[in-house]
Amino acid sequence: MKKAFSIIVTLALLAWLASDSRWKMVGDAFASITPGAFAAVTLSLFVTYVLRALRVCDEFRDEVNGRFGACLRVILIHNAMINVVPFRGGETAFPLLLRQVFGISMVRAGASLLWFRLQDAFVVGVLACLVWPGLHPALRAAGIAGLIAVAWYLPRWARAPHDWAHRGSIVSKLGQLRDIFTEATGRSRYGWWWTVANWTLKLAVQGWLLAMLLGTSFQTAFPGAVGAEAAAILPVQGVAGFGTYEAGAAAALLYSGIPMKDGLQAALALHLFILCSAVATGAIAWLFPSKSTLPENPATGPARK
């Protein structure tokens, strides 16, 4: 009952904000999109959530034990939190939920989350180098090669033998973190495949929607979607990521001849669509709790290593 009341209050606040006349331009931006196209975009975006849940199932397959629905719920709530809580505070939902539902230690979950975010950054960075308008071919090639080299080297550096445990207290603690990170980079079987599939579909869908909002071609709009997501993965964000997301999209669209005002307006509409999708699916997932695998109260019981 409390959850339902909270969601009703949240929806009422969103409706009150949407009633402001200044949001009319956002509504006008969606007016040209057909219901069929809108439904296709929504369904495709949900598939990206499924791909992310599969990545989590793959990473924690021993603890998850085939409970895909519980993994999907964790992803949906986590996705809603990172879209709402400012300054990346919503990221804490991921280790908390994994501990609560599957009994996975927060340190282990946090290390995997860090690796997930690094994989996301590498894939988006490579795509940005590939499609960013006006970039010199030499810089494009150097950027792609550099990102691939770092992505290849980082797990091998983490797995390399080291004597950090026998040094000072601070270094020894860093050594423990390095060992945990080593485990996070070596457990997933298809982590890179899930990551590439997720971002390929997600950016394609967002590029398609942005093209419809702007009334332009997919080739023109796609760099804007990549620029928006490249800005969105920055370590520090404002409330719901507003500002940096729109700026990243508009900056990429400028090279394609889209005026700054039009690019910002379309990016704002795209951002609101993604935010509403995240909040709606997260709220639905929150209403259907997953049974914990812990024998005691997950809020107070110890986590399994």
Side-chain angles (χ1 to χ4, degrees):
M1 185 65 181
K2 290 182 179 179
K3 290 183 177 181
F5 178 74
S6 299
I7 291 175
I8 291 171
V9 171
T10 301
L11 292 175
L13 288 171
L14 290 173
W16 175 68
L17 288 172
S19 66
D20 193 305
S21 60
R22 287 172 294 185
W23 291 97
K24 183 177 182 298
M25 64 176 185
V26 177
D28 293 341
F30 282 104
S32 61
I33 301 176
T34 64
F38 195 83
V41 168
T42 303
L43 179 61
S44 299
L45 190 62
F46 183 78
V47 173
T48 67
Y49 303 152
V50 172
L51 290 171
R52 279 181 265 179
L54 288 170
R55 179 167 71 166
V56 173
C57 286
D58 186 20
E59 173 73 12
F60 301 103
R61 56 190 176 276
D62 294 334
E63 296 86 355
V64 169
N65 196 25
R67 295 179 62 196
F68 174 75
C71 273
L72 181 59
R73 179 178 181 270
V74 169
I75 287 298
L76 294 177
I77 296 177
H78 176 227
N79 187 53
M81 294 293 288
I82 61 178
N83 276 280
V84 174
V85 181
F87 309 120
R88 290 291 179 186
E91 296 284 15
T92 57
F94 184 77
L96 285 171
L97 286 167
L98 285 181
R99 178 189 181 277
Q100 185 182 64
V101 178
F102 301 113
I104 299 169
S105 73
M106 293 186 64
V107 175
R108 166 78 177 89
S112 292
L113 177 60
L114 173 61
W115 181 230
F116 287 163
R117 288 292 171 257
L118 287 172
Q119 287 180 309
D120 293 341
F122 287 133
V123 172
V124 175
V126 169
L127 287 172
C129 290
L130 280 171
V131 304
W132 194 270
L135 193 64
H136 192 278
L139 289 176
R140 198 183 300 275
I144 294 172
L147 287 168
I148 292 176
V150 174
W152 178 86
Y153 173 75
L154 191 59
R156 287 155 180 79
W157 167 82
R159 297 169 196 164
H162 63 85
D163 60 349
W164 289 16
H166 304 293
R167 300 185 184 181
S169 58
I170 296 178
V171 177
S172 64
K173 291 184 181 300
L174 290 175
Q176 294 175 3
L177 293 176
R178 179 175 172 179
D179 292 338
I180 295 170
F181 183 70
T182 300
E183 183 182 4
T185 61
R187 285 174 58 94
S188 179
R189 295 167 297 182
Y190 310 109
W192 282 110
W193 293 108
W194 297 128
T195 305
V196 171
N198 166 58
W199 281 107
T200 300
L201 178 59
K202 182 178 180 179
L203 290 171
V205 170
Q206 293 182 191
W208 181 32
L209 179 56
L210 193 60
M212 289 188 287
L213 291 169
L214 288 167
T216 186
S217 67
F218 175 81
Q219 290 79 6
T220 300
F222 184 68
V226 176
E229 288 298 336
I233 62 177
L234 293 173
V236 178
Q237 295 287 326
V239 177
F242 284 109
T244 50
Y245 187 93
E246 288 76 13
L253 291 170
L254 269 178
Y255 286 94
S256 301
I258 304 297
M260 176 67 73
K261 180 181 178 181
D262 294 342
L264 289 173
Q265 180 177 330
L268 175 61
L270 173 64
H271 194 179
L272 287 172
F273 173 77
I274 294 170
L275 177 63
C276 289
S277 298
V279 172
T281 53
I284 293 171
W286 186 46
L287 288 173
F288 295 93
S290 297
K291 184 179 178 181
S292 174
T293 57
L294 291 175
E296 59 276 294
N297 186 340
T300 57
R304 296 183 304 184
K305 297 290 186 179

